[in-house]
Amino acid sequence: MTLAKIKNALDSALEKELNEMRSKGLFRELKVLEGRQGAVVRIRGKEFINLSSNNYLGLTNHPRLCDAAIKATKEFGVGAGAVRTISGTMRLHAELEERIAKFKNTESSIVFQSGFNANIGTISAVVGEGDLIISDELNHASIIDGCRLTKAERKIYKHKDLESLEGVLKESEKGYGTKLIITDGVFSMDGDIAPLEGIVELAEKYGAAVMVDDAHASGVLGKNGRGTVDHFNINPGRVDIQMGTLSKALGCLGGYIAGSRDLRDFLVHRGRPFLFSTAIPPSVAASCIAAIDVLESEPQIFEKLWNNTKFFKKELGNLGFDTGISETPITPIMVGDEAKAMQLSDELFQNGVFASGIAFPTVPRGRARIRTIVTAMHSKEQLEDCLGILETAGKKLAII
């Protein structure tokens, strides 16, 4: 068979899948931003109030981060030039890991190229054949993929259900080596917070380790944004593995694992994304360090974030929208029907609000929604404008 025929066969299969998406109203074109990521963005020459960004604190444009990136680029160049274990570890990488460990109150930390890499690299390294992973049913895709890369057995417990978790632990008391409970700290689609205190207590009762994915809690929950462990005032030593991102509230790029010195040293030798991918650029490391400085010195940004969150959530409820079980700036507007969720997103876009529709496979079938995220950048007037547009669109589509 010729290469052209192989390509055509593949394209035919892909075209079939794409046409099915189109017929269901689920096909999406990428929306290209023509400027900075902010409370207002420019797309196709027009301005939109942005409710789709993970830039919780507005740090992507913070002068201290921008200045740090420029200075580091001039001193160190635009790239690390190698993987960390060969010649790609620069002074800024070491400094960043020291700052993260101090910030998280852990012995050590290690930086990966993304939060996704941090999860798959860590999970696939620390557990294997004869071990057991116990995972919340709504954990992030990176956790799911990390679990798939191991030979460990996997068991799922009902979302945030401590009785379900204890049931799995009871039936798994014998016959396994390492038992690792994994949970999101803040669940990225629903905006609710894991019952981490109860999870840790059960882990200690049944001899399991705990890993928490703090991608959406980093920079949002806890003192100065230290995350879920700090939010619940849990001694950091009781949570074995803390994953966080540098790309959401911290405004930059990358992911990290914070924990013991032994965990860090082990991942240096066994974390495959760390071993086989070029290190983050020095400019990124420098801006991440600056981001931690901002978190520790500008508490007013957290107050603005949470004031905006409370206002927007309350007003959405007053309008009759279902915001699910959210407890954080991630505020879903539940629609249910997948095509209607995309229609709502399109209606908002046509009227100047950028808010993405979320459907299967990102969320279960029948649970489609608009996922909104308010930030510290939004003014009250901007949020009021969004609420007015949402009310009109919601009534037009019979959602409220």
Side-chain angles (χ1 to χ4, degrees):
M1 184 178 289
T2 66
L3 179 61
K5 287 183 179 178
I6 293 172
K7 180 181 178 182
N8 289 339
L10 174 61
D11 283 348
S12 295
L14 297 178
E15 184 180 27
K16 182 180 179 181
E17 294 285 342
L18 289 168
N19 284 338
E20 186 175 349
M21 293 180 198
R22 291 185 180 100
S23 69
K24 294 179 179 178
L26 302 179
F27 183 83
R28 300 280 98 182
E29 295 284 356
L30 293 177
K31 292 181 171 64
V32 180
L33 273 61
E34 297 167 353
R36 291 187 171 197
Q37 179 76 255
V40 174
V41 293
R42 179 170 289 274
I43 303 170
R44 302 171 193 167
K46 298 180 180 179
E47 290 190 341
F48 298 83
I49 300 174
N50 184 12
L51 294 180
S52 292
S53 173
N54 294 322
N55 186 24
Y56 290 99
L57 302 174
L59 298 192
T60 60
N61 305 311
H62 197 289
R64 290 168 71 175
L65 276 69
C66 295
D67 290 346
I70 292 167
K71 181 180 178 182
T73 300
K74 289 180 177 179
E75 182 177 355
F76 293 93
V78 298
V83 300
R84 291 281 303 275
T85 52
I86 298 179
S87 63
T89 297
M90 296 180 166
R91 173 175 57 78
L92 289 171
H93 297 121
E95 183 180 343
L96 174 59
E97 289 172 341
E98 290 172 3
R99 288 297 305 278
I100 291 170
K102 184 178 180 181
F103 184 69
K104 298 289 286 186
N105 295 313
T106 58
E107 285 184 357
S108 195
S109 81
I110 180 172
V111 170
F112 287 79
Q113 299 81 0
S114 70
F116 204 109
N117 276 349
N119 269 340
I120 64 172
T122 300
I123 296 167
S124 62
V126 301
V127 291
E129 191 170 2
D131 296 329
L132 174 66
I133 297 168
I134 306 171
S135 181
D136 187 291
E137 65 179 341
L138 294 187
N139 275 341
H140 190 264
S142 57
I143 295 173
I144 295 169
D145 285 1
C147 294
R148 288 171 174 167
L149 290 173
T150 78
K151 293 183 179 179
E153 187 175 339
R154 302 186 293 275
K155 296 184 179 181
I156 308 299
Y157 66 94
K158 294 178 182 178
H159 181 50
K160 292 175 53 174
D161 188 327
L162 294 177
E163 288 187 12
S164 175
L165 173 58
E166 184 163 24
V168 174
L169 287 165
K170 279 182 178 179
E171 71 181 26
S172 309
E173 284 192 86
K174 297 180 180 179
Y176 297 101
T178 298
K179 290 178 286 189
L180 179 64
I181 302 169
I182 309 178
T183 182
D184 279 5
V186 172
F187 291 87
S188 61
M189 289 297 116
D190 290 294
D192 53 332
I193 303 170
L196 194 60
E197 288 176 300
I199 291 171
V200 169
E201 289 171 1
L202 287 174
E204 292 170 345
K205 180 178 178 180
Y206 291 95
V210 175
M211 176 176 179
V212 60
D213 175 338
D214 257 355
H216 285 277
S218 300
V220 175
L221 294 184
K223 183 181 179 182
N224 299 104
R226 283 179 167 81
T228 314
V229 173
D230 188 84
H231 173 75
F232 285 110
N233 198 30
I234 299 170
N235 185 313
R238 297 175 69 196
V239 177
D240 302 88
I241 305 171
Q242 295 185 57
M243 191 284 281
T245 53
L246 303 163
S247 56
K248 294 182 172 62
L250 274 72
C252 304
L253 178 72
Y256 64 84
I257 297 292
S260 68
R261 168 62 62 174
D262 285 344
L263 174 64
R264 183 224 193 268
D265 290 346
F266 183 78
L267 291 174
V268 166
H269 292 83
R270 291 291 185 270
R272 291 175 71 82
F274 184 89
L275 284 164
F276 296 108
S277 292
T278 298
I280 61 172
S283 58
V284 171
S287 58
C288 289
I289 293 167
I292 297 173
D293 290 339
V294 172
L295 294 184
E296 293 180 325
S297 62
E298 299 185 20
Q300 67 273 15
I301 57 177
F302 299 102
E303 183 178 358
K304 181 70 181 301
L305 172 66
W306 282 99
N307 284 342
N308 280 348
T309 295
K310 292 171 184 175
F311 169 75
F312 195 64
K313 240 184 250 296
K314 179 182 177 182
E315 294 304 315
L316 283 174
N318 290 340
L319 289 174
F321 285 107
D322 177 4
T323 58
I325 53 177
S326 173
E327 305 169 76
T328 65
I330 298 171
T331 304
I333 297 173
M334 306 302 295
V335 178
D337 180 78
E338 295 177 337
K340 184 172 281 192
M342 297 307 171
Q343 287 177 330
L344 177 58
S345 178
D346 291 340
E347 188 74 24
L348 296 175
F349 192 74
Q350 290 170 14
N351 289 280
V353 175
F354 182 21
S356 297
I358 307 291
F360 180 84
T362 307
V363 294
R365 294 190 190 278
R367 300 283 294 167
R369 70 209 52 193
I370 301 294
R371 187 182 72 159
T372 70
I373 298 180
V374 297
T375 71
M377 301 175 290
H378 288 105
S379 67
K380 187 175 181 181
E381 291 73 23
Q382 287 169 337
L383 295 179
E384 287 173 338
D385 287 345
C386 289
L387 289 162
I389 294 167
L390 273 162
E391 180 180 16
T392 300
K395 288 179 178 176
K396 179 178 179 179
L397 297 174
I399 296 169
I400 55 173

